[in-house]
């Protein structure tokens, strides 16, 4: 039997639909990383599992019990899950030991003595035993988050939910929290981790879910998602691809404005001056060659440029869609005066492709 089963989960906030018909099965011992852009529903999904956000429709089963059922014993089912939030939510008026012992004593009927012994064991595992009687206000953010993880473990949950556990931390403290989660991963605990730490997700997860378009857009093993994503939005997210688009519908278009747009795009994303100049030169050569050879004199023109830049590979790509007749500039005779610009362009690019479909030429260049 699956530890978590989600069927048709839908959640909206007013007119904003965040999740739509989401389905997921999580097996015991699975470690799942959830990634995606801001506002894609990752945290809403995690909070819905505990009914901290109430779904509009759908069913959620935790260890065989439906938490979304009308007469469900929600508090009892929640005990199967431990939640670690972005912010630590420790009780500021209690010291560390009291924070850890409160829930198991009150909810599980554990004796204070047994709770303290368990708490000290967990604190030793995360390197914080000497801070057992300190108050949260004197602890660093990383220490508070480690305490928050211990607090979840005190209830012996069957699954741990991490909602971006390092997002509120100073960068110097991120490593200490991730080290604790890595330690837990080695114990085959079932975990769902919403994270922006891609290397960590690759290392720890058995399965990665990429959220987009109101749900799980693509999923797979870490190597499948990070090394060979199949769907466009996943590819763009993994490679942190930036886009610039420009349409030309007149022969006497403003070339300086076109160059200026490329310049602004390049500077915004940290391209070097020589990279920007290469993009400008390649685009200009393609415009002039395609206008000259795809259209008759006086005929209306239509060219659409898209430039993409992948931060992860530092690679730039130019895609040009051009109407008119079928024309492949890369099959022209090289090194003659007429096609000198295209010859230069081919030598600058690492790959050049052309295809003609539905009455339009598609030119793709990789720089």
């Amino acid at each position: 039997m699956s530890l978590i089963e989600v069927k048709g989960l839908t959640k909206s906030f007013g007119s904003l639909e965040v999740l739509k018909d989401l389905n997921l099965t999580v097996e015991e011992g699975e470690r799942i990383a959830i990634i995606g852009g801001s506002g894609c529903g990752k945290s809403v999904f995690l909070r819905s599992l505990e009914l901290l956000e109430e779904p509009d429709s759908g069913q959620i089963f935790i260890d065989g019990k439906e938490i979304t059922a009308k007469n469900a014993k929600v508090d009892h089912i929640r005990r199967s899950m431990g939640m670690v939030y972005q912010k630590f939510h420790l009780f500021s008026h209690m010291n560390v030991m009291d924070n850890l012992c409160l829930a198991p004593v009150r909810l599980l009927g554990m004796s204070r003595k047994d709770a303290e012994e368990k708490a000290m064991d967990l604190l030793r595992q995360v390197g914080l035993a000497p801070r057992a009687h300190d108050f949260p206000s004197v602890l660093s953010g990383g220490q508070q988050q480690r305490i928050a993880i211990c607090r979840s473990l005190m209830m012996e949950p069957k699954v741990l939910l991490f909602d971006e556990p390092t997002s509120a931390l100073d960068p110097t403290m991120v490593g200490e929290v991730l080290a604790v989660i890595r330690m837990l991963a080695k114990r085959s605990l079932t975990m769902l981790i919403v994270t922006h730490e891609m290397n960590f997700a690759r290392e720890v997860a058995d399965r990665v879910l990429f959220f987009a378009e109101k749900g799980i857009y693509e999923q797979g093993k870490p190597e499948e998602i990070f090394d060979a994503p199949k769907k466009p939005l996943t590819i763009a997210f993994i490679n942190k691809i930036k886009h610039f688009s420009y349409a030309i519908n007149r022969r006497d278009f403003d070339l300086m404005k076109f160059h200026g747009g490329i310049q602004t795009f390049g500077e915004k994303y940290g391209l070097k001056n020589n990279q920007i100049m290469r993009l400008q030169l390649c685009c200009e050569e393609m415009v002039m060659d395609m206008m000259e050879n795809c259209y008759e004199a006086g005929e209306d023109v239509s060219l659409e440029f898209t430039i993409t830049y992948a931060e992860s590979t530092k690679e730039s790509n130019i895609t040009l869609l051009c109407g008119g007749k079928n024309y492949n500039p890369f099959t022209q005779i090289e090194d003659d005066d007429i096609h000198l610009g295209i010859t230069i362009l081919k030598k600058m690019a690492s790959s050049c492709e052309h295809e003609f479909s539905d009455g339009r030429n598609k030119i793709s260049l990789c720089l």
Side-chain angles (χ1 to χ4, degrees):
M1 182 175 63
S2 302
L3 188 55
I4 297 175
E5 190 171 3
V6 180
K7 299 179 179 180
L9 176 63
T10 297
K11 176 63 181 176
S12 298
F13 296 93
S15 62
L16 177 63
E17 191 172 49
V18 179
L19 299 173
K20 182 178 181 180
D21 196 27
L22 187 151
N23 299 283
L24 177 67
T25 298
V26 179
E27 302 300 330
E28 186 172 356
E30 255 196 303
R31 300 179 299 274
I32 294 178
I34 302 173
I35 64 173
S38 298
C40 67
K42 306 183 300 296
S43 295
V44 171
F45 168 68
L46 218 60
R47 290 172 60 83
S48 295
L49 296 180
E50 286 203 312
L51 292 195
L52 298 175
E53 299 288 355
E54 188 172 345
D56 300 330
S57 61
Q59 295 174 288
I60 300 172
F61 297 85
I62 307 297
D63 198 21
K65 302 178 182 67
E66 186 185 352
I67 195 171
T68 48
K70 196 168 186 179
N71 299 315
K73 296 180 179 179
V74 174
D75 289 338
H76 181 75
I77 298 173
R78 279 176 177 158
R79 294 178 193 177
S80 299
M81 296 178 281
M83 185 80 158
V84 179
Y85 303 90
Q86 297 178 28
K87 296 188 178 179
F88 329 116
H89 298 302
L90 298 177
F91 295 115
S92 60
H93 64 289
M94 294 182 179
N95 66 23
V96 168
M97 184 58 70
D98 289 339
N99 264 280
L100 297 185
C101 294
L102 178 65
V105 169
R106 288 195 178 183
L107 300 178
L108 300 182
M110 190 181 295
S111 71
R112 175 71 186 204
K113 180 176 180 296
D114 289 344
E116 288 191 1
E117 288 179 359
K118 183 176 180 64
M120 284 304 299
D121 180 52
L122 289 171
L123 289 172
R124 279 191 288 269
Q125 292 179 45
V126 301
L128 290 175
R131 315 307 295 268
H133 300 291
D134 290 345
F135 283 82
S137 59
V138 301
L139 302 176
S140 70
Q143 290 171 333
Q144 290 188 60
Q145 192 63 296
R146 282 186 277 165
I147 298 299
I149 294 172
C150 289
R151 182 177 58 183
S152 291
L153 293 171
M154 287 291 292
M155 297 294 288
E156 298 185 352
K158 293 189 175 182
V159 58
L160 282 174
L161 309 176
F162 292 91
D163 186 10
E164 299 189 33
T166 61
S167 65
L169 299 178
D170 184 280
T172 60
M173 301 174 188
V174 170
E176 64 193 69
V177 173
L178 296 184
V180 171
I181 302 175
R182 286 188 183 95
M183 177 187 70
L184 297 175
K186 293 177 182 178
R187 301 179 184 179
S188 298
L189 286 171
T190 308
M191 298 192 292
L192 277 73
I193 310 166
V194 172
T195 182
H196 289 295
E197 305 287 341
M198 298 298 104
N199 289 334
F200 170 74
R202 177 195 287 270
E203 176 188 347
V204 168
D206 302 310
R207 182 163 38 134
V208 177
L209 312 180
F210 174 67
F211 269 49
E213 296 189 344
K214 304 177 185 179
I216 301 170
Y217 180 79
E218 186 171 354
Q219 62 178 301
K221 296 178 181 179
E223 59 270 23
E224 293 172 337
I225 297 299
F226 292 113
D227 297 333
K230 295 180 175 62
K231 303 182 75 172
L233 294 182
T234 318
I235 294 169
F237 180 82
I238 295 301
N239 292 323
K240 295 184 179 178
I241 294 177
K242 312 302 182 184
H243 298 264
F244 168 75
S245 298
Y246 197 91
I248 297 173
N249 299 304
R250 297 174 52 178
R251 289 181 179 274
D252 60 342
F253 73 100
D254 191 336
L255 178 61
M256 292 301 101
K257 183 178 179 181
F258 185 28
H259 279 328
I262 297 172
Q263 182 80 31
T264 301
F265 168 77
E267 291 175 349
K268 180 177 179 180
Y269 296 114
L271 275 71
K272 296 179 180 178
N273 285 334
N274 65 327
Q275 292 175 291
I276 295 172
M277 290 178 64
R278 288 171 67 195
L279 286 172
Q280 291 171 326
L281 177 60
C282 287
C283 289
E284 182 176 344
E285 292 295 343
M286 280 197 288
V287 168
M288 300 308 175
D289 194 68
M290 299 302 283
M291 277 191 181
E292 178 69 24
N293 293 284
C294 292
Y295 297 97
E296 300 295 336
E299 186 180 2
D300 291 339
V301 301
S302 176
L303 298 92
E304 298 174 19
F305 276 91
T306 301
I307 299 174
T308 62
Y309 173 67
E311 289 183 351
S312 60
T313 62
K314 308 300 181 187
E315 191 174 81
S316 298
N317 289 271
I318 302 172
T319 301
L320 168 61
L321 297 177
C322 176
K325 66 181 182 182
N326 184 356
Y327 171 72
N328 183 355
F330 307 125
T331 60
Q332 307 308 310
I333 299 172
E334 295 189 2
D335 299 323
D336 62 17
D337 291 339
I338 297 175
H339 299 290
L340 181 60
I342 296 299
T343 300
I344 295 172
L345 187 150
K346 289 172 67 175
K347 290 180 179 178
M348 292 173 60
S350 59
S351 66
C352 307
E353 297 178 2
H354 169 269
E355 64 178 84
F356 186 78
S357 177
D358 297 326
R360 293 210 295 181
N361 297 278
K362 180 180 179 181
I363 306 294
S364 300
L365 289 178
C366 180
L367 301 180

